[in-house]
PDB file of all heavy atoms in Angstrom:
ATOM      1  N   GLY R  21     -12.716 -51.541  23.002  1.00  0.00           N
ATOM      2  CA  GLY R  21     -13.037 -50.784  21.778  1.00  0.00           C
ATOM      3  C   GLY R  21     -14.489 -50.338  21.728  1.00  0.00           C
ATOM      4  O   GLY R  21     -14.712 -49.235  21.291  1.00  0.00           O
ATOM      5  N   LEU R  22     -15.388 -51.257  22.146  1.00  0.00           N
ATOM      6  CA  LEU R  22     -16.802 -50.879  22.111  1.00  0.00           C
ATOM      7  C   LEU R  22     -17.106 -49.732  23.134  1.00  0.00           C
ATOM      8  O   LEU R  22     -17.950 -48.819  22.766  1.00  0.00           O
ATOM      9  CB  LEU R  22     -17.714 -52.043  22.428  1.00  0.00           C
ATOM     10  CG  LEU R  22     -17.747 -53.175  21.359  1.00  0.00           C
ATOM     11  CD1 LEU R  22     -18.383 -54.387  21.937  1.00  0.00           C
ATOM     12  CD2 LEU R  22     -18.416 -52.634  20.040  1.00  0.00           C
ATOM     13  N   VAL R  23     -16.560 -49.863  24.283  1.00  0.00           N
ATOM     14  CA  VAL R  23     -16.771 -48.781  25.249  1.00  0.00           C
ATOM     15  C   VAL R  23     -16.268 -47.458  24.782  1.00  0.00           C
ATOM     16  O   VAL R  23     -16.880 -46.451  24.905  1.00  0.00           O
ATOM     17  CB  VAL R  23     -16.148 -49.152  26.630  1.00  0.00           C
ATOM     18  CG1 VAL R  23     -16.143 -47.976  27.611  1.00  0.00           C
ATOM     19  CG2 VAL R  23     -16.815 -50.384  27.224  1.00  0.00           C
ATOM     20  N   LEU R  24     -15.102 -47.462  24.217  1.00  0.00           N
ATOM     21  CA  LEU R  24     -14.476 -46.213  23.665  1.00  0.00           C
ATOM     22  C   LEU R  24     -15.382 -45.666  22.471  1.00  0.00           C
ATOM     23  O   LEU R  24     -15.631 -44.467  22.396  1.00  0.00           O
ATOM     24  CB  LEU R  24     -13.063 -46.486  23.118  1.00  0.00           C
ATOM     25  CG  LEU R  24     -12.094 -46.652  24.154  1.00  0.00           C
ATOM     26  CD1 LEU R  24     -10.760 -47.120  23.528  1.00  0.00           C
ATOM     27  CD2 LEU R  24     -11.758 -45.327  24.807  1.00  0.00           C
ATOM     28  N   LEU R  25     -15.868 -46.560  21.681  1.00  0.00           N
ATOM     29  CA  LEU R  25     -16.692 -46.194  20.492  1.00  0.00           C
ATOM     30  C   LEU R  25     -18.050 -45.443  21.025  1.00  0.00           C
ATOM     31  O   LEU R  25     -18.447 -44.474  20.525  1.00  0.00           O
ATOM     32  CB  LEU R  25     -17.055 -47.336  19.705  1.00  0.00           C
ATOM     33  CG  LEU R  25     -17.934 -47.114  18.401  1.00  0.00           C
ATOM     34  CD1 LEU R  25     -17.081 -46.306  17.412  1.00  0.00           C
ATOM     35  CD2 LEU R  25     -18.390 -48.485  17.836  1.00  0.00           C
ATOM     36  N   PHE R  26     -18.692 -46.105  22.064  1.00  0.00           N
ATOM     37  CA  PHE R  26     -19.918 -45.630  22.477  1.00  0.00           C
ATOM     38  C   PHE R  26     -19.772 -44.469  23.450  1.00  0.00           C
ATOM     39  O   PHE R  26     -20.796 -43.884  23.944  1.00  0.00           O
ATOM     40  CB  PHE R  26     -20.800 -46.688  23.137  1.00  0.00           C
ATOM     41  CG  PHE R  26     -21.177 -47.712  22.105  1.00  0.00           C
ATOM     42  CD1 PHE R  26     -21.300 -49.093  22.491  1.00  0.00           C
ATOM     43  CD2 PHE R  26     -21.489 -47.397  20.831  1.00  0.00           C
ATOM     44  CE1 PHE R  26     -21.713 -50.046  21.553  1.00  0.00           C
ATOM     45  CE2 PHE R  26     -21.919 -48.339  19.854  1.00  0.00           C
ATOM     46  CZ  PHE R  26     -21.976 -49.680  20.227  1.00  0.00           C
ATOM     47  N   LYS R  27     -18.595 -44.136  23.737  1.00  0.00           N
ATOM     48  CA  LYS R  27     -18.372 -42.807  24.518  1.00  0.00           C
ATOM     49  C   LYS R  27     -18.733 -41.610  23.712  1.00  0.00           C
ATOM     50  O   LYS R  27     -19.197 -40.610  24.182  1.00  0.00           O
ATOM     51  CB  LYS R  27     -16.915 -42.676  24.931  1.00  0.00           C
ATOM     52  CG  LYS R  27     -16.556 -41.430  25.674  1.00  0.00           C
ATOM     53  CD  LYS R  27     -15.123 -41.352  26.134  1.00  0.00           C
ATOM     54  CE  LYS R  27     -14.745 -39.938  26.673  1.00  0.00           C
ATOM     55  NZ  LYS R  27     -15.483 -39.656  27.955  1.00  0.00           N
ATOM     56  N   PHE R  28     -18.586 -41.787  22.314  1.00  0.00           N
ATOM     57  CA  PHE R  28     -18.863 -40.653  21.416  1.00  0.00           C
ATOM     58  C   PHE R  28     -20.116 -40.849  20.542  1.00  0.00           C
ATOM     59  O   PHE R  28     -20.667 -39.890  20.040  1.00  0.00           O
ATOM     60  CB  PHE R  28     -17.576 -40.485  20.614  1.00  0.00           C
ATOM     61  CG  PHE R  28     -16.411 -40.264  21.372  1.00  0.00           C
ATOM     62  CD1 PHE R  28     -15.403 -41.247  21.563  1.00  0.00           C
ATOM     63  CD2 PHE R  28     -16.122 -39.052  22.028  1.00  0.00           C
ATOM     64  CE1 PHE R  28     -14.289 -41.070  22.308  1.00  0.00           C
ATOM     65  CE2 PHE R  28     -14.941 -38.796  22.721  1.00  0.00           C
ATOM     66  CZ  PHE R  28     -14.009 -39.848  22.868  1.00  0.00           C
ATOM     67  N   LEU R  29     -20.372 -42.156  20.206  1.00  0.00           N
ATOM     68  CA  LEU R  29     -21.454 -42.460  19.164  1.00  0.00           C
ATOM     69  C   LEU R  29     -22.673 -42.965  19.919  1.00  0.00           C
ATOM     70  O   LEU R  29     -22.566 -43.618  20.931  1.00  0.00           O
ATOM     71  CB  LEU R  29     -20.992 -43.420  18.175  1.00  0.00           C
ATOM     72  CG  LEU R  29     -19.768 -42.982  17.338  1.00  0.00           C
ATOM     73  CD1 LEU R  29     -19.446 -44.050  16.362  1.00  0.00           C
ATOM     74  CD2 LEU R  29     -20.076 -41.663  16.577  1.00  0.00           C
ATOM     75  N   PRO R  30     -23.834 -42.682  19.340  1.00  0.00           N
ATOM     76  CA  PRO R  30     -25.012 -43.355  19.938  1.00  0.00           C
ATOM     77  C   PRO R  30     -25.043 -44.836  19.833  1.00  0.00           C
ATOM     78  O   PRO R  30     -24.465 -45.394  18.828  1.00  0.00           O
ATOM     79  CB  PRO R  30     -26.141 -42.720  19.023  1.00  0.00           C
ATOM     80  CG  PRO R  30     -25.616 -41.413  18.530  1.00  0.00           C
ATOM     81  CD  PRO R  30     -24.153 -41.705  18.326  1.00  0.00           C
ATOM     82  N   VAL R  31     -25.593 -45.474  20.780  1.00  0.00           N
ATOM     83  CA  VAL R  31     -25.718 -46.947  20.749  1.00  0.00           C
ATOM     84  C   VAL R  31     -26.769 -47.243  19.678  1.00  0.00           C
ATOM     85  O   VAL R  31     -27.950 -46.925  19.939  1.00  0.00           O
ATOM     86  CB  VAL R  31     -26.084 -47.531  22.105  1.00  0.00           C
ATOM     87  CG1 VAL R  31     -26.229 -49.031  22.042  1.00  0.00           C
ATOM     88  CG2 VAL R  31     -24.968 -47.088  23.109  1.00  0.00           C
ATOM     89  N   PRO R  32     -26.450 -47.971  18.620  1.00  0.00           N
ATOM     90  CA  PRO R  32     -27.427 -48.153  17.589  1.00  0.00           C
ATOM     91  C   PRO R  32     -28.459 -49.191  17.952  1.00  0.00           C
ATOM     92  O   PRO R  32     -29.653 -49.010  17.585  1.00  0.00           O
ATOM     93  CB  PRO R  32     -26.524 -48.631  16.386  1.00  0.00           C
ATOM     94  CG  PRO R  32     -25.391 -49.350  17.096  1.00  0.00           C
ATOM     95  CD  PRO R  32     -25.132 -48.453  18.299  1.00  0.00           C
ATOM     96  N   VAL R  33     -28.180 -50.283  18.605  1.00  0.00           N
ATOM     97  CA  VAL R  33     -29.112 -51.339  18.974  1.00  0.00           C
ATOM     98  C   VAL R  33     -28.490 -52.127  20.112  1.00  0.00           C
ATOM     99  O   VAL R  33     -27.295 -52.203  20.264  1.00  0.00           O
ATOM    100  CB  VAL R  33     -29.470 -52.183  17.731  1.00  0.00           C
ATOM    101  CG1 VAL R  33     -28.290 -53.086  17.366  1.00  0.00           C
ATOM    102  CG2 VAL R  33     -30.731 -52.977  17.986  1.00  0.00           C
ATOM    103  N   THR R  34     -29.303 -52.816  20.906  1.00  0.00           N
ATOM    104  CA  THR R  34     -28.827 -53.669  21.977  1.00  0.00           C
ATOM    105  C   THR R  34     -29.454 -55.092  21.760  1.00  0.00           C
ATOM    106  O   THR R  34     -30.397 -55.312  21.020  1.00  0.00           O
ATOM    107  CB  THR R  34     -29.285 -53.156  23.348  1.00  0.00           C
ATOM    108  OG1 THR R  34     -30.741 -53.171  23.417  1.00  0.00           O
ATOM    109  CG2 THR R  34     -28.894 -51.640  23.476  1.00  0.00           C
ATOM    110  N   ALA R  35     -28.899 -56.024  22.504  1.00  0.00           N
ATOM    111  CA  ALA R  35     -29.385 -57.410  22.505  1.00  0.00           C
ATOM    112  C   ALA R  35     -30.896 -57.409  22.862  1.00  0.00           C
ATOM    113  O   ALA R  35     -31.749 -58.164  22.297  1.00  0.00           O
ATOM    114  CB  ALA R  35     -28.605 -58.327  23.330  1.00  0.00           C
ATOM    115  N   THR R  36     -31.268 -56.742  23.938  1.00  0.00           N
ATOM    116  CA  THR R  36     -32.640 -56.626  24.323  1.00  0.00           C
ATOM    117  C   THR R  36     -33.533 -56.184  23.368  1.00  0.00           C
ATOM    118  O   THR R  36     -34.598 -56.695  23.032  1.00  0.00           O
ATOM    119  CB  THR R  36     -32.740 -55.715  25.614  1.00  0.00           C
ATOM    120  OG1 THR R  36     -31.841 -56.157  26.630  1.00  0.00           O
ATOM    121  CG2 THR R  36     -34.169 -55.732  26.197  1.00  0.00           C
ATOM    122  N   MET R  37     -33.150 -55.139  22.513  1.00  0.00           N
ATOM    123  CA  MET R  37     -33.957 -54.598  21.378  1.00  0.00           C
ATOM    124  C   MET R  37     -34.083 -55.643  20.335  1.00  0.00           C
ATOM    125  O   MET R  37     -35.247 -55.934  19.807  1.00  0.00           O
ATOM    126  CB  MET R  37     -33.287 -53.447  20.869  1.00  0.00           C
ATOM    127  CG  MET R  37     -33.265 -52.169  21.778  1.00  0.00           C
ATOM    128  SD  MET R  37     -32.465 -50.782  20.967  1.00  0.00           S
ATOM    129  CE  MET R  37     -32.294 -49.658  22.387  1.00  0.00           C
ATOM    130  N   LEU R  38     -32.985 -56.332  20.013  1.00  0.00           N
ATOM    131  CA  LEU R  38     -33.007 -57.325  18.907  1.00  0.00           C
ATOM    132  C   LEU R  38     -33.995 -58.561  19.291  1.00  0.00           C
ATOM    133  O   LEU R  38     -34.542 -59.151  18.386  1.00  0.00           O
ATOM    134  CB  LEU R  38     -31.611 -57.762  18.590  1.00  0.00           C
ATOM    135  CG  LEU R  38     -30.716 -56.746  17.974  1.00  0.00           C
ATOM    136  CD1 LEU R  38     -29.324 -57.303  17.887  1.00  0.00           C
ATOM    137  CD2 LEU R  38     -31.206 -56.333  16.564  1.00  0.00           C
ATOM    138  N   MET R  39     -34.062 -58.875  20.593  1.00  0.00           N
ATOM    139  CA  MET R  39     -34.882 -60.037  21.016  1.00  0.00           C
ATOM    140  C   MET R  39     -36.270 -59.657  21.339  1.00  0.00           C
ATOM    141  O   MET R  39     -37.019 -60.504  21.762  1.00  0.00           O
ATOM    142  CB  MET R  39     -34.102 -60.636  22.189  1.00  0.00           C
ATOM    143  CG  MET R  39     -32.879 -61.352  21.804  1.00  0.00           C
ATOM    144  SD  MET R  39     -32.134 -62.355  23.156  1.00  0.00           S
ATOM    145  CE  MET R  39     -31.555 -61.029  24.233  1.00  0.00           C
ATOM    146  N   ASP R  40     -36.637 -58.400  21.118  1.00  0.00           N
ATOM    147  CA  ASP R  40     -37.942 -57.890  21.539  1.00  0.00           C
ATOM    148  C   ASP R  40     -38.872 -58.294  20.390  1.00  0.00           C
ATOM    149  O   ASP R  40     -38.788 -57.746  19.307  1.00  0.00           O
ATOM    150  CB  ASP R  40     -37.934 -56.407  21.701  1.00  0.00           C
ATOM    151  CG  ASP R  40     -39.250 -55.913  22.379  1.00  0.00           C
ATOM    152  OD1 ASP R  40     -40.317 -56.585  22.234  1.00  0.00           O
ATOM    153  OD2 ASP R  40     -39.107 -54.908  23.185  1.00  0.00           O
ATOM    154  N   GLU R  41     -39.830 -59.151  20.635  1.00  0.00           N
ATOM    155  CA  GLU R  41     -40.798 -59.546  19.615  1.00  0.00           C
ATOM    156  C   GLU R  41     -41.846 -58.442  19.254  1.00  0.00           C
ATOM    157  O   GLU R  41     -42.551 -58.606  18.313  1.00  0.00           O
ATOM    158  CB  GLU R  41     -41.635 -60.786  20.144  1.00  0.00           C
ATOM    159  CG  GLU R  41     -40.688 -61.938  20.352  1.00  0.00           C
ATOM    160  CD  GLU R  41     -41.479 -63.135  21.007  1.00  0.00           C
ATOM    161  OE1 GLU R  41     -42.718 -62.981  21.331  1.00  0.00           O
ATOM    162  OE2 GLU R  41     -40.979 -64.295  21.087  1.00  0.00           O
ATOM    163  N   ASN R  42     -41.844 -57.379  19.983  1.00  0.00           N
ATOM    164  CA  ASN R  42     -42.746 -56.292  19.738  1.00  0.00           C
ATOM    165  C   ASN R  42     -42.142 -55.161  18.893  1.00  0.00           C
ATOM    166  O   ASN R  42     -42.837 -54.154  18.588  1.00  0.00           O
ATOM    167  CB  ASN R  42     -43.100 -55.624  21.050  1.00  0.00           C
ATOM    168  CG  ASN R  42     -43.827 -56.636  21.968  1.00  0.00           C
ATOM    169  OD1 ASN R  42     -44.902 -57.083  21.768  1.00  0.00           O
ATOM    170  ND2 ASN R  42     -43.149 -56.975  23.073  1.00  0.00           N
ATOM    171  N   GLY R  43     -40.956 -55.406  18.415  1.00  0.00           N
ATOM    172  CA  GLY R  43     -40.255 -54.464  17.461  1.00  0.00           C
ATOM    173  C   GLY R  43     -39.580 -53.410  18.346  1.00  0.00           C
ATOM    174  O   GLY R  43     -39.377 -53.497  19.568  1.00  0.00           O
ATOM    175  N   ILE R  44     -39.053 -52.447  17.663  1.00  0.00           N
ATOM    176  CA  ILE R  44     -38.245 -51.405  18.290  1.00  0.00           C
ATOM    177  C   ILE R  44     -38.735 -49.982  17.927  1.00  0.00           C
ATOM    178  O   ILE R  44     -38.741 -49.684  16.730  1.00  0.00           O
ATOM    179  CB  ILE R  44     -36.712 -51.475  17.935  1.00  0.00           C
ATOM    180  CG1 ILE R  44     -36.289 -52.888  18.186  1.00  0.00           C
ATOM    181  CG2 ILE R  44     -35.901 -50.452  18.697  1.00  0.00           C
ATOM    182  CD1 ILE R  44     -34.788 -53.141  17.603  1.00  0.00           C
ATOM    183  N   THR R  45     -39.002 -49.131  18.858  1.00  0.00           N
ATOM    184  CA  THR R  45     -39.325 -47.827  18.682  1.00  0.00           C
ATOM    185  C   THR R  45     -38.364 -46.949  19.591  1.00  0.00           C
ATOM    186  O   THR R  45     -38.380 -47.222  20.819  1.00  0.00           O
ATOM    187  CB  THR R  45     -40.785 -47.416  19.047  1.00  0.00           C
ATOM    188  OG1 THR R  45     -41.697 -48.134  18.193  1.00  0.00           O
ATOM    189  CG2 THR R  45     -41.007 -45.891  18.844  1.00  0.00           C
ATOM    190  N   LYS R  46     -37.483 -46.195  19.000  1.00  0.00           N
ATOM    191  CA  LYS R  46     -36.483 -45.501  19.795  1.00  0.00           C
ATOM    192  C   LYS R  46     -36.150 -44.093  19.059  1.00  0.00           C
ATOM    193  O   LYS R  46     -36.345 -44.021  17.804  1.00  0.00           O
ATOM    194  CB  LYS R  46     -35.257 -46.290  20.013  1.00  0.00           C
ATOM    195  CG  LYS R  46     -34.474 -46.697  18.769  1.00  0.00           C
ATOM    196  CD  LYS R  46     -33.342 -47.583  19.057  1.00  0.00           C
ATOM    197  CE  LYS R  46     -32.616 -48.019  17.813  1.00  0.00           C
ATOM    198  NZ  LYS R  46     -31.761 -46.940  17.167  1.00  0.00           N
ATOM    199  N   ASP R  47     -35.705 -43.273  19.815  1.00  0.00           N
ATOM    200  CA  ASP R  47     -35.207 -42.001  19.186  1.00  0.00           C
ATOM    201  C   ASP R  47     -34.169 -41.433  20.073  1.00  0.00           C
ATOM    202  O   ASP R  47     -34.438 -40.758  21.138  1.00  0.00           O
ATOM    203  CB  ASP R  47     -36.503 -41.037  19.139  1.00  0.00           C
ATOM    204  CG  ASP R  47     -36.209 -39.689  18.401  1.00  0.00           C
ATOM    205  OD1 ASP R  47     -35.074 -39.608  17.934  1.00  0.00           O
ATOM    206  OD2 ASP R  47     -37.118 -38.881  18.330  1.00  0.00           O
ATOM    207  N   TRP R  48     -32.896 -41.554  19.700  1.00  0.00           N
ATOM    208  CA  TRP R  48     -31.786 -41.204  20.524  1.00  0.00           C
ATOM    209  C   TRP R  48     -31.783 -39.663  20.581  1.00  0.00           C
ATOM    210  O   TRP R  48     -31.985 -38.941  19.625  1.00  0.00           O
ATOM    211  CB  TRP R  48     -30.426 -41.586  19.897  1.00  0.00           C
ATOM    212  CG  TRP R  48     -29.266 -41.291  20.751  1.00  0.00           C
ATOM    213  CD1 TRP R  48     -28.654 -40.031  20.792  1.00  0.00           C
ATOM    214  CD2 TRP R  48     -28.564 -42.171  21.591  1.00  0.00           C
ATOM    215  NE1 TRP R  48     -27.575 -40.110  21.638  1.00  0.00           N
ATOM    216  CE2 TRP R  48     -27.525 -41.418  22.222  1.00  0.00           C
ATOM    217  CE3 TRP R  48     -28.766 -43.444  21.927  1.00  0.00           C
ATOM    218  CZ2 TRP R  48     -26.627 -41.934  23.114  1.00  0.00           C
ATOM    219  CZ3 TRP R  48     -27.868 -43.979  22.901  1.00  0.00           C
ATOM    220  CH2 TRP R  48     -26.860 -43.273  23.459  1.00  0.00           C
ATOM    221  N   THR R  49     -31.637 -39.182  21.849  1.00  0.00           N
ATOM    222  CA  THR R  49     -31.564 -37.684  21.999  1.00  0.00           C
ATOM    223  C   THR R  49     -30.473 -37.416  23.091  1.00  0.00           C
ATOM    224  O   THR R  49     -30.222 -38.146  23.968  1.00  0.00           O
ATOM    225  CB  THR R  49     -32.962 -37.187  22.465  1.00  0.00           C
ATOM    226  OG1 THR R  49     -32.935 -35.711  22.451  1.00  0.00           O
ATOM    227  CG2 THR R  49     -33.251 -37.611  23.822  1.00  0.00           C
TER     228      THR R  49
END
Side-chain angles (χ1 to χ4, degrees):
L22 288 173
V23 171
L24 286 170
L25 183 67
F26 293 144
K27 176 179 174 65
F28 305 103
L29 299 179
V31 179
V33 71
T34 67
T36 303
M37 295 177 189
L38 292 174
M39 292 186 289
D40 195 330
E41 298 177 351
N42 300 291
I44 306 171
T45 299
K46 62 185 180 70
D47 189 0
W48 184 280
T49 188

